[in-house]
Amino acid sequence: MPGGGEGGAVVALLRPGRVSAPSEARCRRGSPGPGFALCPLPLLAGPGFMDLYMMNCELLATCSALGYLEGDVYHKEPDCLESVKDLIRYLRYEDETRDVRQQLGAAQILQNDLLPLIAQYPQDKLLFDAVVRLMVNLTQPALLCFGKVPHDPGSRHCFLQVVSYLQAYKEAFASEKVFGVLSEKLYHLLQLDWEQRQEEDNLLVERILLLVRNVLHIPADPEEEKSVDDDASAHDRVLWAMHVSGMDDLLKFLASSSAEQQWGLHVLEIVSLMFRDQDPEQLAATGQARPAKEQAADVRDLELLRQRELAERKSRAFQRGSRHSRFGGSYVVQGLKSIGDRDLVFHKGLHNLKDHSHDLGKEPRRVPRRRQPAREAEPCRRSALNVRLFLREFCGDFLESCYNPLMHLVKDQLLREKSQQHDETYYLWAMAFFMAFNRGRHFRPELVSETVSVRAFHFIEQNLTAYYEAMLLDKKEATSWARRMHLALKAYRELLTTVQEMDRSPDEAVRDSSRIIKNNIFYLMEYRELFLALFRKFEESRQPRSFLRDLVETTHLFLKMLEAFCRGRNNLVVQSKRVRRKKQPRAGRAAPPAQPRAPQELEELWPSLAEQLGACAQGAEPLPEDVVPFDATSETPVEEQRAEAMVRIQDSLLGHQAPAALTLLRSAREVWPEQDVFGSPQAALEEEIQLLRQILFAPLPRQAAPEVEEPGEEEEEEEEEVEEELASVQVSEKEFSFLDYLKRFASASVVKAYVLLLRGYRQNSAHTNHCVAKMLHRIAYDLKMEALLFQLSVFCIFNRLLSDPLATAYKELVTFAKYILGKFFALAATNKKVYVELLFWKTTATVREMTEGYGSLQEGEDSGARRAPKWTLQEEEELRELYLKYKGVEGADVIGSILAHLRAPSRTRKQVIKQLVRLGLAESVRDFPRERKGTRLVLWTEEQELELQRLFEEFQGADDILGNIMKHLTAKRSKARVVEKLLSLGLVAERKELYKKRKRKPGLPGMSEDRSPWGAAGREDPAEEEEEESDSEEEEEAAWEEGGAGDRATEGPREQGTENQAAPEQDVQGLAHHLRQGGLAGSLLWLQNCLNRAAEDREEDGTAQPVPLVPLLEENEDAMENQGFQKLLRKVGVRAPANEQESFWRIPAKLSPEQLRRLAASVAQEESEGEEGSPGGPDAGPEQRAQALQTLRLARRKRGAPALPEEETPGPEQPPVSPGSDLQRVRPVQSQLGPKRSRVIHSDDDEDPEIQAEAPAQPDPTSDREGTRPPRRRKRLRIEEEEED
């Protein structure tokens, strides 16, 4: 609700008027009149340099041109309309101090000129519209003018000055004549049909509503309105003027009319400001005889005040002595020490001894502003009786005809985001106010049916959670978010109260509706967890005490309804959400792996497993059906899951679960049928049993399990890596227990909030004190957690309560305090440490240790399984010996060595380190930093070097030296490390000596009719070729990693001469020759051109990137799928797709331009005798030339290009193309007949080069025939990707 004199901060944080933007846009922006200066700078020099009451001359002249007031008649000047528009322009260009606004307010332009203008000339449409626009601008809230309440003194002074002028405007608007003119104009505008209503009419309606909104929003001046209740304030006088003029009836019409729905939010905002000072329950009781219950409550309050006054008077009488003594005397207080070791000397009368404190005379500690308690909102003020009566009648009519349609309309606009920011706060206010008024008047649930539903609960819960999260994130605006959260909490409480009231309704249908709503809200977890979250994050510096009071009362109501709901049901099922967090294992010591079984043990185990398998074969023992070997949603690769399935089969056998192992074997065979890893699909039972026996005896590699962390241990080591948590919410149902839910409130954060509210028990109402006592009683008595209240601050409150003269008025609190103190002293008789525990807030674990004995958590049954076992004397001695043994070993992991030789296998690294610190063998856990992955350099030992040398000499004559060494090497290392070590030992001179030697195939005699260019006679074995391809890929990757030159086509540096290059070039030429005979001459020419283009680009750019080979024609696609062509690409050095994310072969970045040209020449060696780019050489025969030209025509016809004349060659001018594109002007290609399709990569497809759009053929741009229009240059794209090693 609007605040006081410092800007009137409102709950909704007012926005600029909804009409301000369009209306300002329609202001005349032409040149100003003569003598008017648009520049606002010379108007004011600032508040510190001149008196603001001295108006600027131009502004004074403009105001003087408005007119003058003579008696009660206002005479306007001829330039009155233009002067009003000039004032609007002045306000538009005012500075950050709002100088123009301050000068107009000091001159009282609105009171003396603007209001008389609209009252005297309401028929002048243009003038009336302009004056209303100006008044809307002048009366807008100061918070909108300045953006926020300024902090610096100068701006804050300007802010308060503007607020004072607004308060003066509100006094002037408390006139029946002014509101009568506005109501009359608004009535005539609303009488117009939509067909007759112009846009200017709608704008004027909106401006009038905004003007009323601005006037009602102006805060009251607390200094001027220090009146008692039932006295008329400025706000009351404005409301009475609205009532007399009929403005309230127009507002009810706008809220209920279906034709005026666009003004719904304006009306709701005005209504919320009308009732901002009213209490709904008091307003509903206005004009009625007070119930006997309320009268009794008033009598009780008066009696309490009277008893308190009598008790204080009696106490003062006892403190005074019968005789007056001029000498007060000095006394020694035994048992009370002073600053030193002596007893305190007291120099005042004995009656003052009770109030003595060592803190007397000390300077109070200054509390920082950010830690000061949040300020309370202004209390509700009771208006004059006639105003309250008219407001009560307004509320009744509003509920009857307007509430449900208006709330439905506003809710729809909020959900569709047709409103402005924070407009939902008006909706929440209206829900809380009118539902409370409906309860206090005559409860009729049909009047508020729109907001009594599960959807209303959900809407409030969503907004409450959103405000709560925004308050935590937006620290600067935390107070505003807390205010909005308080408003949502009030609406939530009123909704619960209405549902509770529906339970008492005599109508069965109403009670059924209430039961359905309670079923839904008690079932969902969000509504039950809401109060716990609000208690845990309560901050006194951001949220006022009133918020805590409403939160405590709402929680009391919710628990009361939930307890009553559960009382009549034996098994209440509710929704439960569990957040499962997947944590990445830390880079540290893994848990010790399972010890491998000895062969003798496995031999003894196998007969029993074989017997179980035989029983399964005979059907005597059923096979389990819920075995799944593969998890499709897991992020683990498929190959690793296959290995894990094999380990699971072995674990099942070791666990004497042969049927499960057999079922898992058969399921894994269906998932991974390739290579018969889990047996062939037609395997018999005997074969499966033999396979299971092999799995049982096989030394399968097992992944290291992550280190088992001790539950409950805190993160004490700073070097611990942060674990990435992937949370997944699992929704399930469980049986609800009210006692278990109540245990969630037994925490220090909740108890702190209740104790904070209990501290002001004198200011609290009786209901609030009852709510506090009830919750603390639930914790202390129902949950047996009274030790949670054993805290010094709580006992101080109890002491003040028991010594209060009016303690009899708080019987419930006094009884509870005596119960807690009795429990405390009973426990103190057996546990003397509870006096020290008074200084600290406690957890439930501490409470259990206090009551059951310290160390009971470690000895209890519930926690013993979760706690680490105690170290025995023998284990401590063994740990001490192992530490002293491995302490001096240089470069060794001391903790890892201890864990490897420790007899107790369940100890973790952290437990060992902590025990070493406890024993005094180490100073702190930082003496044993956790080893990081990838930072440890593994050195070659002398034995490993000798083993490597022996293996090299053994396999030196083999075809695959490196492969055999890697298979027989004991210490597993990468190929790159083995190659480096062989080179450093001098066993090989260069890396190529370690490449796998391939046996060359004999020359291919001829081609068969098969589609493959190799024919049936010359085709290699597919399995052998696949093996060679995989070996070639591995060698290529190793060569690029180690800095080699690629494949055998470029395996040596240029300095080796042509002798080392002759063999690979001959291989390339031989392969190219057979491919030409197989009909792939065109693809070979495309490959040659790609290599040449790549060389040219690398020379021009000076940089090299992997260039993909993109076959755009179908003949080139077929060639890329041909095994012989792929073998040629490998010989040339082109890299195959590295993984499933790549689709194209790539020219590696390691190849230099010279190497690329040499490879291109090797591919086209047969045509080197002829001219480059011509269909044939100069010595080519006419038949060959004619055949080549015919092939070129066919190829161009397939691409949609005009055929090339017999003696015409492509022109020299060519657009730049990609080296990987085959849509360029190249030498004629040999092609097969038949229709072909062409694919075009557009320039806007560069994000995904694999997406190729089907496009119709386009004419070739190389044709230069006369009479043909040259086609538009096609956009081409060179696709470059980073080479992935």
Side-chain angles (χ1 to χ4, degrees):
M1 306 307 293
E6 290 190 356
V10 293
V11 168
L13 288 188
L14 283 171
R15 300 94 44 239
R18 296 176 180 81
V19 77
S20 58
S23 55
E24 289 295 333
R26 286 161 178 77
C27 290
R28 184 170 62 88
R29 299 181 180 271
S31 59
F36 178 79
L38 276 179
C39 180
L41 294 178
L43 290 179
L44 284 177
F49 297 94
M50 64 174 297
D51 190 359
L52 289 176
Y53 293 97
M54 299 289 294
M55 291 187 65
N56 180 268
C57 58
E58 296 180 357
L59 189 60
L60 179 60
T62 307
C63 294
S64 301
L66 293 174
Y68 60 94
L69 184 64
E70 186 177 3
D72 294 336
V73 180
Y74 190 87
H75 302 276
K76 66 174 183 178
E77 297 289 346
D79 296 335
C80 181
L81 178 61
E82 294 299 326
S83 299
V84 172
K85 293 181 179 179
D86 290 342
L87 290 177
I88 294 175
R89 292 194 193 96
Y90 269 107
L91 287 172
R92 187 185 305 166
Y93 293 105
E94 63 183 352
D95 60 7
E96 64 277 1
T97 61
R98 303 297 178 255
D99 51 353
V100 177
R101 193 176 305 270
Q102 292 189 58
Q103 293 185 68
L104 294 179
Q108 299 184 356
I109 297 298
L110 185 138
Q111 298 94 316
N112 299 331
D113 294 277
L114 301 183
L115 291 180
L117 272 174
I118 63 171
Q120 195 78 24
Y121 304 98
Q123 296 81 15
D124 193 339
K125 186 175 179 8
L126 294 178
L127 180 61
F128 188 89
D129 190 8
V131 172
V132 170
R133 282 181 58 194
L134 180 57
M135 288 194 299
V136 168
N137 197 339
L138 286 175
T139 57
Q140 69 177 352
L143 206 59
L144 286 182
C145 298
F146 289 86
K148 61 179 181 179
V149 179
H151 296 290
D152 58 291
S155 301
R156 192 177 184 85
H157 172 74
C158 297
F159 179 86
L160 296 177
Q161 199 70 30
V162 171
V163 171
S164 65
Y165 296 140
L166 289 174
Q167 292 166 352
Y169 295 160
K170 190 169 187 177
E171 290 284 351
F173 268 98
S175 169
E176 300 175 8
K177 185 176 182 181
V178 172
F179 271 100
V181 173
L182 293 176
S183 302
E184 188 73 18
K185 178 64 71 172
L186 183 60
Y187 174 77
H188 288 301
L189 292 174
L190 295 178
Q191 289 295 318
L192 299 175
D193 295 332
W194 280 101
E195 295 80 5
Q196 302 175 353
R197 196 180 298 179
Q198 303 296 324
E199 185 177 1
E200 291 77 8
D201 298 331
N202 288 330
L203 288 175
L204 184 56
V205 171
E206 192 166 8
R207 287 175 184 139
I208 293 175
L209 294 177
L210 280 177
L211 180 61
V212 176
R213 189 280 309 263
N214 291 346
V215 172
L216 290 174
H217 173 263
I218 297 173
D221 187 0
E223 298 296 330
E224 296 293 333
E225 299 188 4
K226 288 184 177 179
S227 56
V228 297
D229 288 344
D230 297 331
D231 191 12
S233 62
H235 192 74
D236 294 340
R237 292 195 294 273
V238 171
L239 292 178
W240 186 253
M242 292 175 60
H243 172 61
V244 173
S245 64
M247 180 67 73
D248 55 341
D249 295 330
L250 293 176
L251 292 176
K252 287 184 285 187
F253 169 75
L254 290 174
S256 59
S257 174
S258 59
E260 308 291 343
Q261 292 184 353
Q262 59 176 331
W263 318 118
L265 276 170
H266 291 82
V267 173
L268 189 61
E269 192 173 356
I270 292 174
V271 170
S272 68
L273 293 172
M274 288 174 61
F275 292 91
R276 69 180 184 184
D277 292 337
Q278 307 300 324
D279 182 82
E281 296 180 355
Q282 291 182 0
L283 190 64
T286 302
Q288 300 178 356
R290 298 191 62 192
K293 185 177 180 180
E294 292 185 4
Q295 293 181 2
D298 290 346
V299 171
R300 186 173 58 252
D301 293 340
L302 290 174
E303 184 64 25
L304 286 176
L305 293 175
R306 179 175 173 273
Q307 290 180 7
R308 177 172 296 173
E309 184 179 359
L310 291 177
E312 291 177 354
R313 187 182 303 173
K314 187 177 181 180
S315 176
R316 288 195 301 268
F318 278 130
Q319 290 177 2
R320 289 197 304 266
S322 58
R323 292 179 57 190
H324 172 70
S325 175
R326 296 181 181 273
F327 177 68
S330 297
Y331 305 91
V332 176
V333 183
Q334 294 182 356
L336 183 61
K337 299 297 182 183
S338 61
I339 299 177
D341 295 335
R342 299 181 180 180
D343 292 336
L344 176 69
V345 178
F346 190 67
H347 297 283
K348 297 182 179 180
L350 291 179
H351 61 277
N352 296 322
L353 181 60
K354 186 178 180 180
D355 299 331
H356 174 73
S357 173
H358 286 292
D359 295 332
L360 293 176
K362 292 182 179 179
E363 184 178 355
R365 188 176 182 180
R366 181 180 175 273
V367 181
R369 179 177 297 178
R370 58 187 178 87
R371 293 184 181 178
Q372 292 178 358
R375 290 189 303 175
E376 296 287 343
E378 289 189 353
C380 294
R381 181 183 175 277
R382 196 165 58 191
S383 302
L385 180 60
N386 58 344
V387 175
R388 282 188 284 132
L389 289 173
F390 121 72
L391 290 178
R392 178 178 177 273
E393 183 183 359
F394 180 90
C395 283
D397 296 342
F398 191 86
L399 280 172
E400 291 281 350
S401 58
C402 307
Y403 181 80
N404 284 331
L406 181 62
M407 297 298 279
H408 176 77
L409 172 65
V410 173
K411 178 74 172 295
D412 182 69
Q413 293 183 357
L414 292 174
L415 294 179
R416 297 176 181 272
E417 297 182 354
K418 294 181 178 179
S419 58
Q420 296 186 4
Q421 192 177 15
H422 308 313
D423 274 347
E424 72 278 357
T425 54
Y426 298 109
Y427 180 85
L428 297 174
W429 174 88
M431 183 186 299
F433 186 88
F434 286 105
M435 291 177 73
F437 181 85
N438 183 44
R439 281 191 306 105
R441 188 181 174 219
H442 299 291
F443 181 68
R444 295 172 56 188
E446 65 274 7
L447 297 182
V448 291
S449 59
E450 176 61 33
T451 53
V452 183
S453 62
V454 179
R455 291 179 299 173
F457 274 98
H458 177 65
F459 179 79
I460 298 176
E461 188 269 337
Q462 271 190 328
N463 284 279
L464 194 57
T465 306
Y467 297 153
Y468 162 74
E469 295 175 351
M471 185 191 69
L472 298 180
L473 296 176
D474 191 0
K475 303 294 184 182
K476 295 183 178 179
E477 298 295 332
T479 306
S480 301
W481 290 112
R483 205 177 298 131
R484 299 186 188 104
M485 189 164 60
H486 190 187
L487 195 60
L489 180 64
K490 287 181 179 179
Y492 196 86
R493 183 186 63 176
E494 191 52 48
L495 204 53
L496 286 174
T497 310
T498 302
V499 172
Q500 185 188 36
E501 194 72 24
M502 291 170 63
D503 284 338
R504 306 168 186 167
S505 175
D507 190 355
E508 182 66 24
V510 175
R511 293 198 300 270
D512 290 341
S513 300
S514 171
R515 187 164 49 253
I516 293 173
I517 293 175
K518 289 191 295 184
N519 265 323
N520 283 275
I521 63 175
F522 293 151
Y523 173 78
L524 293 176
M525 181 179 176
E526 289 79 3
Y527 302 111
R528 303 193 305 271
E529 297 293 325
L530 180 63
F531 300 102
L532 289 167
L534 294 178
F535 272 119
R536 288 169 183 164
K537 294 299 181 181
F538 174 77
E539 293 187 25
E540 189 181 7
S541 60
R542 297 178 180 176
Q543 297 161 301
R545 192 73 59 90
S546 57
F547 174 84
L548 182 59
R549 182 186 65 247
D550 291 338
L551 177 59
V552 167
E553 294 178 359
T554 309
T555 306
H556 173 78
L557 177 61
F558 183 83
L559 290 176
K560 183 178 178 181
M561 295 173 63
L562 181 59
E563 187 178 17
F565 189 78
C566 298
R567 189 176 295 128
R569 293 166 177 79
N570 295 327
N571 48 355
L572 176 63
V573 178
V574 297
Q575 186 186 77
S576 175
K577 292 184 180 180
R578 184 180 180 184
V579 180
R580 299 189 61 185
R581 303 185 186 277
K582 302 177 181 178
K583 297 185 178 181
Q584 293 184 350
R586 298 177 180 178
R589 188 194 69 83
Q595 297 293 334
R597 299 287 186 91
Q600 294 80 7
E601 298 181 8
L602 297 178
E603 289 290 350
E604 296 174 359
L605 177 64
W606 176 249
S608 61
L609 296 175
E611 184 179 353
Q612 294 183 22
L613 293 173
C616 295
Q618 297 175 3
E621 188 171 352
L623 296 177
E625 299 179 356
D626 56 346
V627 179
V628 180
F630 176 73
D631 186 6
T633 62
S634 175
E635 298 180 357
T636 307
V638 180
E639 296 300 325
E640 294 184 13
Q641 291 199 37
R642 183 172 66 179
E644 291 177 0
M646 190 75 72
V647 173
R648 288 176 58 191
I649 295 174
Q650 189 182 59
D651 291 340
S652 300
L653 294 173
L654 293 175
H656 302 275
Q657 298 177 357
L662 181 59
T663 306
L664 188 58
L665 177 70
R666 292 175 177 176
S667 302
R669 182 190 305 153
E670 296 177 359
V671 177
W672 295 284
E674 60 272 6
Q675 301 180 8
D676 295 342
V677 176
F678 297 95
S680 62
Q682 295 81 18
L685 181 61
E686 292 76 10
E687 296 179 2
E688 292 177 340
I689 293 177
Q690 291 300 322
L691 183 57
L692 290 175
R693 177 182 173 86
Q694 296 177 9
I695 294 175
L696 177 64
F697 285 87
L700 298 179
R702 295 175 178 267
Q703 293 184 353
E707 180 180 353
V708 180
E709 295 291 338
E710 299 177 52
E713 285 189 353
E714 298 180 356
E715 298 295 335
E716 299 179 358
E717 303 180 28
E718 295 182 359
E719 66 272 11
E720 292 286 344
E721 292 184 357
V722 179
E723 296 176 351
E724 179 183 357
E725 297 183 353
L726 303 175
S728 60
V729 180
Q730 289 187 346
V731 181
S732 60
E733 289 185 343
K734 68 175 183 180
E735 188 172 348
F736 181 74
S737 172
F738 179 77
L739 200 61
D740 291 341
Y741 175 67
L742 196 60
K743 291 178 181 178
R744 306 285 303 279
F745 290 89
S747 63
S749 57
V750 178
V751 174
K752 283 180 184 178
Y754 275 89
V755 171
L756 179 63
L757 190 59
L758 180 62
R759 191 178 301 164
Y761 68 93
R762 288 186 176 181
Q763 291 77 29
N764 296 338
S765 63
H767 178 65
T768 303
N769 286 333
H770 168 72
C771 295
V772 174
K774 183 63 177 177
M775 174 57 79
L776 297 181
H777 179 268
R778 290 180 188 273
I779 295 174
Y781 185 79
D782 297 346
L783 301 180
K784 308 300 180 184
M785 288 285 181
E786 63 275 355
L788 276 176
L789 298 173
F790 293 170
Q791 218 278 337
L792 198 57
S793 60
V794 181
F795 282 14
C796 289
I797 298 175
F798 288 167
N799 181 42
R800 188 156 50 93
L801 175 65
L802 296 175
S803 60
D804 194 333
L806 284 181
T808 55
Y810 310 105
K811 293 181 180 180
E812 192 175 19
L813 293 177
V814 170
T815 305
F816 179 74
K818 291 180 178 179
Y819 171 78
I820 295 297
L821 291 174
K823 288 290 185 180
F824 172 77
F825 290 116
L827 181 61
T830 58
N831 183 9
K832 300 297 182 181
K833 296 179 181 178
V834 293
Y835 293 102
V836 182
E837 296 283 1
L838 282 175
L839 302 175
F840 310 100
W841 291 101
K842 287 159 281 296
T843 61
T844 53
T846 309
V847 168
R848 180 176 175 182
E849 286 191 333
M850 288 173 56
T851 55
E852 300 181 10
Y854 295 98
S856 59
L857 285 181
Q858 298 180 0
E859 299 171 2
E861 296 179 358
D862 297 337
S863 58
R866 301 179 59 190
R867 291 276 180 167
K870 290 185 176 181
W871 289 79
T872 62
L873 296 177
Q874 294 79 6
E875 290 176 347
E876 290 181 355
E877 187 63 29
E878 181 187 6
L879 178 62
R880 187 180 287 105
E881 293 177 358
L882 291 174
Y883 176 72
L884 296 177
K885 178 180 178 180
Y886 295 104
K887 177 182 178 181
V889 180
E890 185 178 356
D893 184 9
V894 180
I895 305 301
S897 303
I898 292 175
L899 288 170
H901 296 83
L902 202 61
R903 294 178 185 177
S906 59
R907 297 294 180 184
T908 62
R909 183 183 185 93
K910 185 179 294 184
Q911 293 173 4
V912 172
I913 294 175
K914 287 185 175 181
Q915 190 62 24
L916 289 174
V917 175
R918 291 192 189 104
L919 294 176
L921 299 176
E923 294 183 359
S924 68
V925 294
R926 296 183 181 87
D927 295 342
F928 309 99
R930 186 178 292 274
E931 181 183 355
R932 303 296 185 183
K933 279 189 176 181
T935 60
R936 183 179 176 186
L937 296 177
V938 182
L939 303 178
W940 290 77
T941 62
E942 186 177 356
E943 293 79 6
Q944 293 173 350
E945 291 181 356
L946 293 176
E947 181 189 13
L948 179 62
Q949 187 174 358
R950 179 180 58 78
L951 291 175
F952 176 76
E953 294 174 354
E954 181 180 351
F955 299 107
Q956 189 172 7
D959 293 338
D960 189 5
I961 303 175
L962 187 59
N964 290 323
I965 291 176
M966 296 297 298
K967 290 178 183 178
H968 295 83
L969 200 61
T970 304
K972 299 302 180 182
R973 301 176 185 272
S974 63
K975 285 186 177 182
R977 300 293 172 261
V978 174
V979 171
E980 289 179 357
K981 195 61 181 176
L982 290 173
L983 290 172
S984 63
L985 293 176
L987 299 178
V988 292
E990 51 190 12
R991 301 177 189 273
K992 70 175 185 177
E993 298 179 13
L994 299 174
Y995 294 160
K996 184 177 179 180
K997 300 181 178 64
R998 297 190 180 90
K999 298 178 180 179
R1000 290 186 53 79
K1001 298 291 181 181
L1004 301 178
M1007 306 300 294
S1008 64
E1009 296 179 359
D1010 194 272
R1011 188 172 181 269
S1012 173
W1014 304 105
R1019 188 183 300 119
E1020 298 181 359
D1021 184 27
E1024 182 180 352
E1025 185 162 349
E1026 288 180 3
E1027 182 181 356
E1028 289 186 3
E1029 291 175 3
S1030 62
D1031 293 341
S1032 175
E1033 292 179 5
E1034 293 179 0
E1035 293 177 9
E1036 288 169 10
E1037 293 177 1
W1040 295 129
E1041 290 177 2
E1042 305 300 333
D1047 213 298
R1048 298 182 63 182
T1050 57
E1051 62 187 354
R1054 295 179 59 189
E1055 290 80 3
Q1056 293 179 353
T1058 58
E1059 294 181 1
N1060 295 336
Q1061 301 171 357
E1065 289 182 1
Q1066 291 178 1
D1067 295 343
V1068 173
Q1069 293 173 9
L1071 288 174
H1073 174 73
H1074 293 298
L1075 290 174
R1076 287 192 190 90
Q1077 292 182 356
L1080 299 179
S1083 300
L1084 289 174
L1085 291 174
W1086 166 68
L1087 175 61
Q1088 177 192 2
N1089 186 73
C1090 290
L1091 296 173
N1092 288 327
R1093 290 284 181 180
E1096 293 176 4
D1097 291 341
R1098 292 181 181 182
E1099 284 184 347
E1100 293 176 0
D1101 300 340
T1103 58
Q1105 294 180 353
V1107 180
L1109 297 178
V1110 185
L1112 301 183
L1113 296 181
E1114 188 177 3
E1115 55 185 350
N1116 293 339
E1117 290 184 13
D1118 297 339
M1120 295 299 292
E1121 297 174 0
N1122 190 288
Q1123 295 181 357
F1125 196 81
Q1126 291 179 358
K1127 191 170 185 180
L1128 174 66
L1129 293 176
R1130 291 193 181 92
K1131 293 289 183 183
V1132 170
V1134 180
R1135 183 170 62 83
N1139 47 42
E1140 64 274 3
Q1141 295 182 356
E1142 293 185 359
S1143 301
F1144 304 108
W1145 292 62
R1146 283 168 170 74
I1147 302 174
K1150 299 292 184 180
L1151 296 179
S1152 63
E1154 293 78 8
Q1155 291 173 334
L1156 290 174
R1157 287 195 178 89
R1158 189 162 56 251
L1159 292 172
S1162 301
V1163 171
Q1165 188 67 27
E1166 234 178 48
E1167 298 179 348
S1168 60
E1169 299 178 357
E1171 269 187 27
E1172 276 190 29
S1174 62
D1179 299 333
E1183 296 180 359
Q1184 297 177 357
R1185 185 177 182 84
Q1187 182 181 0
L1189 287 174
Q1190 183 180 2
T1191 304
L1192 180 61
R1193 292 192 195 96
L1194 289 174
R1196 296 191 181 281
R1197 190 178 306 154
K1198 293 164 192 171
R1199 292 196 296 260
L1204 198 67
E1206 292 187 0
E1207 296 184 2
E1208 188 175 8
T1209 58
E1213 297 181 3
Q1214 301 178 1
V1217 294
S1218 167
S1221 174
D1222 51 6
L1223 294 178
Q1224 48 189 333
R1225 290 174 292 280
V1226 296
R1227 54 182 63 84
V1229 296
Q1230 185 175 352
S1231 176
Q1232 300 176 359
L1233 297 177
K1236 301 290 183 181
R1237 68 180 184 275
S1238 64
R1239 295 184 179 182
V1240 182
I1241 292 183
H1242 298 281
S1243 61
D1244 55 347
D1245 294 335
D1246 54 350
E1247 294 183 359
D1248 191 357
E1250 298 179 16
I1251 301 176
Q1252 300 178 353
E1254 293 284 339
Q1258 299 182 6
D1260 193 283
T1262 59
S1263 176
D1264 297 326
R1265 294 171 49 182
E1266 296 180 1
T1268 303
R1269 181 181 179 182
R1272 183 176 57 187
R1273 174 175 296 183
R1274 167 179 288 171
K1275 295 182 180 179
R1276 293 177 173 86
L1277 174 69
R1278 182 171 71 187
I1279 305 173
E1280 297 182 355
E1281 295 183 0
E1282 292 292 336
E1283 183 179 12
E1284 298 181 7
D1285 294 334

